[in-house]
Amino acid sequence: MKHFKRIIASVLSAAFIISVFSFGFITASAAPLFGDINSSGDINSTDALYMLQMSVGMYEETEESIYCCDLDLNGKVNSTDALLVLQKSVGLSIGLKDFSLNMGDTAILPGEEIHLNAYDFNPRIADNTEVEWVSSDADIASVDENGNVQTFKTGKVTLSAKSVANEKLVKSITLTVAQLINSVKVEKTSVTLAQGSKYAQKLTFSPVDVIKTMSWSSSDCSVATVDANGVIQGRKIGSATITGTTTDGTKKTVMPDWSLPKPTAMASSQLSFSWLTRMG
């Protein structure tokens, strides 16, 4: 460790002499490589010095310099970035700590294709950023070495990118392969609710293997509200329309239509509504 510190000290001392004469023509915007702030075509100790000077405010950060030199992806150039470049310049290994995928959990139709991509490798100058793509069930969906995904039948599958250099580093998404909704039917055509009580209408989807997700809204929340799960709560005497819309892209709707006659002494605490189904 002491030997390594002496190497760093000597390299920085030498690089400082170089920087006095050369920083005037450095242009970070022209850097072809991450960490190559002096556009020399490789990563060296001079880059480390410039980045260290930038990290302490000796030179102003620009969009280009941050893109080039923010190697740990924290949004700025700091001493950690300079140390990474110095380690790289003297031949020390740089391990991969993290990366991202271009999409999260998603749903598509059988036969559709998507492309997965690994990016934002941290640090950006890691020695090996190669990932291996794996499907938990190739009968549902397969993924090739380039992240191209093909789907074959309905179901759920986990698609993972595994770091070749760091076996513990794995990023995954859940892919749902499902049919589009053809229709949505409600269990009852009319329901009577006591004021303040709740009701969850049971829905039947066709075909069965679809993405059963809906968005809900009320035309008058003072009369009746509906939550994200379609649970309706009566608030006061009146009328309102509760609309449920599929979120798989088909835009099918179910509309429970509330209506109530003038309240009586016996029924003043009750709400009545009927359900209508409309496909759009």
Side-chain angles (χ1 to χ4, degrees):
M1 186 65 182
K2 290 182 179 179
H3 181 63
F4 178 62
K5 288 182 177 179
R6 284 198 297 270
I7 293 175
I8 293 177
S10 61
V11 169
L12 286 180
S13 297
F16 178 74
I17 297 172
I18 297 171
S19 69
V20 171
F21 300 99
S22 63
F23 196 83
F25 61 84
I26 298 304
T27 55
S29 61
L33 299 172
F34 286 125
D36 180 23
I37 194 172
N38 66 356
S39 305
S40 65
D42 63 1
I43 295 174
N44 52 50
S45 57
T46 306
D47 297 311
L49 179 63
Y50 294 154
M51 292 167 67
L52 188 60
Q53 291 171 331
M54 190 175 294
S55 73
V56 296
M58 292 180 65
Y59 302 103
E60 184 179 355
E61 292 181 343
T62 64
E63 245 181 72
E64 292 84 358
S65 66
I66 292 175
Y67 178 77
C68 168
C69 303
D70 177 22
L71 306 180
D72 58 0
L73 302 176
N74 70 344
K76 59 184 179 181
V77 180
N78 55 35
S79 57
T80 301
D81 301 315
L83 181 59
L84 285 167
V85 167
L86 187 59
Q87 289 174 325
K88 190 83 168 181
S89 70
V90 297
L92 295 179
S93 62
I94 308 288
L96 183 64
K97 296 180 180 179
D98 198 12
F99 65 90
S100 300
L101 297 181
N102 62 323
M103 67 176 64
D105 296 346
T106 190
I108 60 176
L109 297 172
E112 286 190 336
E113 299 180 1
I114 58 174
H115 176 71
L116 295 177
N117 182 44
Y119 72 109
D120 272 355
F121 295 101
N122 183 5
R124 281 174 161 163
I125 57 172
D127 296 333
N128 189 346
T129 57
E130 184 182 356
V131 298
E132 177 185 6
W133 296 98
V134 180
S135 169
S136 64
D137 191 337
D139 290 335
I140 296 174
S142 66
V143 56
D144 68 16
E145 59 184 7
N146 298 313
N148 298 310
V149 179
Q150 287 185 303
T151 58
F152 306 106
K153 67 178 184 179
T154 59
K156 285 190 176 183
V157 60
T158 300
L159 303 175
S160 303
K162 299 181 178 181
S163 167
V164 172
N166 182 356
E167 61 181 16
K168 294 182 178 180
L169 183 55
V170 181
K171 294 299 179 73
S172 303
I173 70 164
T174 298
L175 177 67
T176 302
V177 184
Q179 300 289 349
L180 290 176
I181 295 172
N182 289 331
S183 65
V184 185
K185 295 182 180 179
V186 295
E187 181 185 32
K188 298 180 180 180
T189 57
S190 63
V191 177
T192 299
L193 264 184
Q195 198 167 5
S197 64
K198 296 181 180 180
Y199 177 75
Q201 179 64 278
K202 292 183 179 180
L203 305 177
T204 301
F205 294 84
S206 177
V208 175
D209 54 347
V210 296
I211 305 167
K212 300 179 179 67
T213 56
M214 306 278 290
S215 63
W216 297 92
S217 63
S218 170
S219 65
D220 190 342
C221 291
S222 67
V223 174
T225 58
V226 59
D227 66 17
N229 297 314
V231 177
I232 302 165
Q233 183 171 20
R235 295 296 185 184
K236 70 175 185 180
I237 301 299
S239 63
T241 298
I242 305 297
T243 303
T245 304
T246 62
T247 55
D248 69 335
T250 55
K251 301 294 184 182
K252 300 291 191 300
T253 61
V254 288
M255 301 179 64
D257 207 8
W258 302 70
S259 60
L260 192 75
K262 291 182 179 180
T264 65
M266 295 295 294
S268 60
S269 65
Q270 295 196 336
L271 294 169
S272 298
F273 64 88
S274 61
W275 291 74
L276 303 177
T277 302
R278 184 182 71 187
M279 299 303 163

